[in-house]
Amino acid sequence: MSNAEFDVVIYGATGFTGRLVAEYLASEYGKDVAWAMAGRSEDKLKRVRDEIGAPADTPLVVADASDPASLKAMADRTRAVITTVGPYQLYGEALVKACVEAGTDYVDLSGEPAWMHDIIATYSDKAKASGARIVHSCGFDSVPFDLGVYFLQQHVTDKIGKPLSRIKGRVRAMKGTFSGGTAASFAETMKRAAKEPQIIDWLKDPFSLCEDFEGPKQPHGAKVIYEDDLGAWSAPFVMATINTKNVHRSNALMGHAYGEDFVYDEMFLTGPGEKGEQFAHAIANDRSMQDNPPKPGEGPSKEERETGFYDVMFTGETADGQRFTASVKGDKDPGYGSTSKMITECALSLVKDVSRDQTPGGVYTTAPALGDALIKRLTDHAGLTFTIED
């Protein structure tokens, strides 16, 4: 695809998140990247292009998930596609198919493990043959978590010659909202599970994206606990179900660089004492995602996005008691402001940084596909910081 017309096409550019992606690409990279906006309506694309202050000559591409020929034509014109059009189990497979057939790279925001399980089974071999790099979960789920584990394990391996066999991912602080797309994806997954009972098994299995590998028993993370080693209470973390699966898939794709006995879980750290316990139970009993979810296409104000943030800790001990800790922090709200920057940098990393010799065709998570190159991009451009704290 080196002769493609565009480096990147943003598919879904008139939606809430797609618009933020386009705005970020225009402001951060301008003419340095050959990019286009794509969606179902040319009139809406023009309006959004003008509203976000993108150049008037920014190319517009009309494409629709219900029209495979339009998706094929779009995939043929670009080196990579960013898609924010979800739920992906409803609208995603036709675009994956078009990109795989064209040998075009693809990044999405999927937090839908059952759909990802299907894509891995159906398209892995075809993507390897065509050279297309299909990279799932390129937003808050699961970039900070997947790369946070990778970052800490790189450091530990450099220090002591082997990785940690147990890491805890703990959200220390977060301000922001989860996206309407995340809520809609959860609802669609539950609908599918009602018809296909094996979906529940996939959702429960932390290794369901690992293709013929079953690792050791993992913590379930579904109840409030007190963690003696951290001196604090922890609550269930809503994104753990998808993030842990992606971390284990990354480990498998990297030849079990973290070991075949690797244990990993995620929770929300709420602090010590009675106050920490009360906060943990409040989080555990929160049902807003189920009872009053944000709607797709809706999102926080610019001020809310700008004042959002997150701070995630990754920590583990060796058998002889050495503790290693790293953190990943983001400077915008997780579900929109930071996510729109992360998915953009994932696409640009594929296009600009990582050759097919380094990362050949296949269906990936971010750590094995992009690794250090993506960490550098996120640090240089997207407001993320990766820090070793030990």
Side-chain angles (χ1 to χ4, degrees):
M1 302 301 297
S2 58
N3 295 322
E5 184 178 354
F6 307 119
D7 293 322
V8 176
V9 169
I10 306 163
Y11 177 59
T14 59
F16 193 93
T17 305
R19 177 189 178 116
L20 294 177
V21 171
E23 191 171 22
Y24 173 70
L25 196 48
S27 63
E28 185 72 15
Y29 291 98
K31 298 283 189 178
D32 293 337
V33 173
W35 63 283
M37 299 167 61
R40 290 180 295 176
S41 166
E42 186 173 6
D43 287 341
K44 286 184 179 179
L45 287 167
K46 288 178 180 176
R47 184 165 67 249
V48 170
R49 178 190 63 192
D50 295 341
E51 287 173 353
I52 66 173
D57 60 352
T58 301
L60 308 176
V61 177
V62 176
D64 191 329
S66 65
D67 179 4
S70 70
L71 298 180
K72 180 183 185 304
M74 177 176 68
D76 285 341
R77 297 176 68 184
T78 186
R79 298 176 66 190
V81 173
I82 296 172
T83 174
T84 61
V85 180
Y88 295 97
Q89 58 201 289
L90 295 182
Y91 307 115
E93 183 175 357
L95 180 56
V96 171
K97 182 175 186 290
C99 287
V100 167
E101 291 177 350
T104 297
D105 294 335
Y106 161 106
V107 296
D108 67 25
L109 298 172
S110 175
E112 304 169 43
W115 179 76
M116 292 159 63
H117 181 280
D118 291 342
I119 294 299
I120 291 164
T122 305
Y123 293 100
S124 280
D125 289 342
K126 295 174 182 176
K128 289 173 185 175
S130 74
R133 283 89 61 89
I134 308 300
V135 187
H136 294 307
S137 305
C138 293
F140 185 62
D141 51 328
S142 298
V143 170
F145 304 91
D146 193 24
L147 291 184
V149 173
Y150 170 85
F151 178 71
L152 179 58
Q153 292 286 42
Q154 295 276 92
H155 171 72
V156 173
T157 302
D158 287 344
K159 284 283 188 179
I160 65 173
K162 61 181 180 179
L164 293 167
S165 61
R166 169 76 170 106
I167 288 179
K168 294 182 176 185
R170 297 294 183 263
V171 179
R172 294 191 292 202
M174 185 172 71
K175 180 185 177 185
T177 58
F178 294 102
S179 73
T182 296
S185 297
F186 176 79
E188 288 301 325
T189 298
M190 291 301 99
K191 286 181 189 176
R192 183 179 171 192
K195 300 175 185 176
E196 303 174 52
Q198 76 270 21
I199 300 299
I200 298 298
D201 294 333
W202 295 349
L203 295 177
K204 290 179 178 178
D205 180 6
F207 300 98
S208 61
L209 302 182
C210 288
E211 296 175 285
D212 304 320
F213 175 76
E214 189 68 29
K217 184 176 176 61
Q218 304 286 312
H220 58 70
K223 295 180 180 178
V224 170
I225 61 172
Y226 182 78
E227 304 196 75
D228 289 313
D229 59 327
L230 302 180
W233 291 88
S234 287
F237 177 52
V238 68
M239 305 311 301
T241 301
I242 180 60
N243 291 336
T244 53
K245 290 176 176 58
N246 279 326
V247 168
H248 285 302
R249 177 164 174 79
S250 289
N251 185 31
L253 288 173
M254 293 186 292
H256 298 285
Y258 312 154
E260 293 191 3
D261 61 344
F262 180 59
V263 176
Y264 174 71
D265 72 328
E266 291 176 1
M267 299 191 78
F268 200 114
L269 202 64
T270 58
E274 184 178 345
K275 185 176 180 181
E277 184 179 10
Q278 290 175 347
F279 185 22
H281 283 289
I283 291 174
N285 294 326
D286 179 24
R287 294 187 54 82
S288 57
M289 273 283 285
Q290 294 96 319
D291 298 339
N292 188 31
K295 295 179 175 60
E298 297 180 351
S301 67
K302 183 174 183 179
E303 180 182 357
E304 289 170 326
R305 296 195 304 272
E306 294 290 327
T307 58
F309 62 88
Y310 52 90
D311 174 0
V312 187
M313 174 183 72
F314 302 88
T315 189
E317 281 187 343
T318 62
D320 62 359
Q322 291 184 78
R323 177 167 292 278
F324 293 92
T325 302
S327 67
V328 179
K329 299 178 182 179
D331 69 343
K332 298 288 186 292
D333 82 293
Y336 294 94
S338 190
T339 280
S340 59
K341 296 192 290 184
M342 285 188 279
I343 191 172
T344 305
E345 298 300 342
C346 286
L348 293 179
S349 191
L350 284 170
V351 169
K352 302 286 189 182
D353 306 330
V354 182
S355 72
R356 280 178 169 76
D357 290 333
Q358 296 168 286
T359 301
V363 180
Y364 286 96
T365 43
T366 53
L370 303 168
D372 296 331
L374 180 56
I375 289 175
K376 186 175 189 310
R377 276 195 169 273
L378 295 173
T379 302
D380 290 348
H381 298 279
L384 273 71
T385 56
F386 292 75
T387 306
I388 297 297
E389 297 186 354
D390 59 79

